[in-house]
């Protein structure tokens, strides 16, 4: 007989872990206790040595779906007299607890119950301890039903018994409900109101087949939905959502349906079927309605994650539905049915919703598998609010993030808790969502900001938010924050070579940076090298209109000879337009200097006539990447001196254009040039500093072709390479970097 104290860290609260421990304790005659503690679960296990061993094995191997065990420590402790095994109430440590589970896709057991349990037949909001809404419904801690938006629903007798039966899968499942006592779906179409689920499903299926658009309440907000094979419906949705080019996400009925339209490798399949159910960017095999992807060869696919999705696919044969966020332009997604009825009245032919409030808005998360690993590009439903453990004391720090793709981050102890994807703060409603969510995080996580961190750019609304507060403040440079974010994700705390490529971020010299080779640690950085500055004619206008940047590059390389270049890009351009740009550059009128890698991608995309005017953020680089082919290994020349110059590349590119070289080859050679540039510069840094760890961050690394080859090439050259997996490499990850830099500097 022996007794052990076992501490399990990771995502183990609100995911059915304690009842699971209870059940295996019963199985192996273990006595003792299990309880939630600050950063996990603590178990006292007493029993025969063999049984203890089996018990520990059981904990390690069979933990329920969403539980994530990160660290288990076992220490022997004194024998006590227990009468069996018990789940004990945790002391009120809600001021320190951070383990709130993200929302979990409906589990297979619940899908079975939905077909067999008399009180839950076709119940469209079925859930259990292993699945269902979590973060989106929680208002306060502890995680009890009364503190969630399930509070108004009183459990029926049957549910109550399940809730209290420790051997039941719904023991202490806070959102548990059934057809008799839970929230229900309703539909409004043509001013008619229905609240019978079976009728709703049948008419929804009919409407989808007939090219109609439906607004459907999801886990974290409304979606707009239509048949993904019906080009008229998709085009109408696109026009009314005021979303011109950006691809729509597609919900497929099952993995088989996805495989018909896209190539899916085993890692991608794992992401698609995981309980987080993100949108996964896949290589397209067969076209859906053309207006779904708008010329891109990738498709954002995901699988049903709400019981309602499954029930709907039972009523229709359609393989795929467009399921895009229910919002207009840059506004946050609508969460409330009254607003949905108003906002979507001219878009949607029906509004379908359930009468449980969404308290914390979340978007669908987006991931991409790069170099065999899942990379989170938009972190929201299913991922938030899982913390990132850091090696520093980050307590009391609020990092406010960037502006365009905003997420903020709070520090609790050593844990960094990133907010869900917020969006573009320049939109007034999104900014309200931002400030409201900061307040919600303060309450939920018992968080009091003592130090606020913001981007160096004083005009970012996230910076203005801080500058208006009476608190200690710290400004952090954008690209340093990118690299620090990746350093933190990997638990590093040392000097590294940082490669930070993106579109825009204010530099310390007042110019726009974005192709930064940094020698840095969490405390500070040295800007070692960057691309040669280019004037951006019209400033922000150049970001929307890549042709302006293309002209600027050509003018930088060829000067007045630009007019003699006989290439389609210039031949098509009105001479007046060209003259105006050149004049602006010559006279230095509204031409901020930029070293952004994104701008170089823009320029090349425009020059190749791939994208001269962008309808959405990063459209030009995305289309350029789409043209790359694996079979081309050649590249263009660059020069590395005081700065990195692409003059020679542009000369060679012009020659290629004149030779009518296929655009795929030129796009690939351009990518290869950037990959070569990274290698050449980091080799130079290693020679001079002996540093061998390379950290890659910034939105440019969402590019799969680029990132896979940069990683492989650096590893081949014996570098240790670190890139993002769980935190976005784009500005959605910036706040984590701001947080750890502040923690380091505070000491
Ligand atoms: Zn379940
Ligand atoms: Zn019930
Ligand atoms: Fe950035």
């Amino acid at each position: 007989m022996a007794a052990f104290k076992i501490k399990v860290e990771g995502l183990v609260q609100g995911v059915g872990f304690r009842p699971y421990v209870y059940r295996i304790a019963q199985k192996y005659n273990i006595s003792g206790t299990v309880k939630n503690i600050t950063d996990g679960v603590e178990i006292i296990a007493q029993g025969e040595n063999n049984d203890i061993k089996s018990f520990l094995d059981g904990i390690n191997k069979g933990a329920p779906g969403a539980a994530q065990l990160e660290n288990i420590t076992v220490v022997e402790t004194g024998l006590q007299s227990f009468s069996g095994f018990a789940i004990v109430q945790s002391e009120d440590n809600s001021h320190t607890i951070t383990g709130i589970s993200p929302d979990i896709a409906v589990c297979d057991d619940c899908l079975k119950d939905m077909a067999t349990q008399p009180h839950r037949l076709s119940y469209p909001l079925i859930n259990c301890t292993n699945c269902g809404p979590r973060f989106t419904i929680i208002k306060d801690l502890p995680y009890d039903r009364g503190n969630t938006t399930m509070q108004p629903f009183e459990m029926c007798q049957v549910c109550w018994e399940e809730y209290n039966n420790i051997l039941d899968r719904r023991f202490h499942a806070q959102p548990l409900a059934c057809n008799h006592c839970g929230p229900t779906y309703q539909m409004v179409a043509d001013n008619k109101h229905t609240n019978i689920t079976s009728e709703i499903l049948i008419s929804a299926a009919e409407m989808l087949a007939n090219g109609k658009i439906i607004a459907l309440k999801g886990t974290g907000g409304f979606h707009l939905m239509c048949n993904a094979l019906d080009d008229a419906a998709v085009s109408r949705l696109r026009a009314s959502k005021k979303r011109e080019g950006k691809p729509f996400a597609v919900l497929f009925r099952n993995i088989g349906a996805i495989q018909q339209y896209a190539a899916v490798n085993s890692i991608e399949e794992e992401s698609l079927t995981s309980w987080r159910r993100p949108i996964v960017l896949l290589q397209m095999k067969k076209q859906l309605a053309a207006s779904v992807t708008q010329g891109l060869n990738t498709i954002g696919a995901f699988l049903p994650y709400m019981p309602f999705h499954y029930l709907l696919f039972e009523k229709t044969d359609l393989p795929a539905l467009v399921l895009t966020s229910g919002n207009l332009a840059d506004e946050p997604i609508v969460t409330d049915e009254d607003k949905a009825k108003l906002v979507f009245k001219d878009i949607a032919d029906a509004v379908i919703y359930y009468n449980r409030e969404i308290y914390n808005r979340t978007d669908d998360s987006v991931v991409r598998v790069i170099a065999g690993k899942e990379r989170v590009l938009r972190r929201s439903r299913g991922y938030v609010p899982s913390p990132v453990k850091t090696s520093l004391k980050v307590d009391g720090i609020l990092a406010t993030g960037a502006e365009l793709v905003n997420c903020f981050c709070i520090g609790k102890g050593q844990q960094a808790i990133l907010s869900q994807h917020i969006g573009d703060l320049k939109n007034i409603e999104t900014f309200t969502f931002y400030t409201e969510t900061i307040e919600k995080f303060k309450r939920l996580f018992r968080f009091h900001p003592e130090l606020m961190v913001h981007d160096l750019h004083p005009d970012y609304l996230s910076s203005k938010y801080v500058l208006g507060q009476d608190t200690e403040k710290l400004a952090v440079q954008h690209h340093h924050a990118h690299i620090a974010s990746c350093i933190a994700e990997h638990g590093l705390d040392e000097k590294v070579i940082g490669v930070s490529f993106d579109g825009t971020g204010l530099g310390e010299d007042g110019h726009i940076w974005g192709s930064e080779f940094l020698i840095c640690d969490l405390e500070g950085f040295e800007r070692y090298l960057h691309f040669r500055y280019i004037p951006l004619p019209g400033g922000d206008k150049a970001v929307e209109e890549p042709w302006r940047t293309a002209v600027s590059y050509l003018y930088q390389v060829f000067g007045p000879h630009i007019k003699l270049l006989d290439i389609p890009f210039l031949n098509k351009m009105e001479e007046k337009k060209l003259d105006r740009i050149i004049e602006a550059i010559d006279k230095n009128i509204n031409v901020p200097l930029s070293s952004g890698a994104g701008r170089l991608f823009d320029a090349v995309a425009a020059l190749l006539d791939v994208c001269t005017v962008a309808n959405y953020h990063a459209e030009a680089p995305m289309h350029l990447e789409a043209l790359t082919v694996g079979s081309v290994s050649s590249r263009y020349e660059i020069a590395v001196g005081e700065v990195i110059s692409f003059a020679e590349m542009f000369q060679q590119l012009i020659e290629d254009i004149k030779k009518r070289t296929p655009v795929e080859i030129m796009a690939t050679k351009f990518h290869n040039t950037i990959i070569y540039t990274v290698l050449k510069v980091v080799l130079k840094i290693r020679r001079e500093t002996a540093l061998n760890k390379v950290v890659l961050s910034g939105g440019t690394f969402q590019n799969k072709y680029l990132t896979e080859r940069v990683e492989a090439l650096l590893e081949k050259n014996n570098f240790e390479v670190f890139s993002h997996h769980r935190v976005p490499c784009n500005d959605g990850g910036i706040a984590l970097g701001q947080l750890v830099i502040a923690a380091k500097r505070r000491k």
Side-chain angles (χ1 to χ4, degrees), residues 245-282:
K246 212 169 171 182
F248 283 139
V250 179
L251 185 76
F252 285 84
R253 63 183 305 122
N254 52 36
I255 188 85
I258 297 185
Q259 282 158 341
Q260 288 188 351
Y261 290 91
V264 184
N265 67 30
S266 61
I267 316 286
E268 287 160 342
E269 182 167 344
E270 229 173 81
S271 293
L272 283 164
T273 54
S274 90
W275 60 267
R276 302 178 192 274
R277 288 291 202 284
I279 295 170
V280 183
L281 299 185
L282 300 171

Side-chain angles (χ1 to χ4, degrees), residues 156 159 178 181:
C156 70
C159 283
C178 76
C181 65

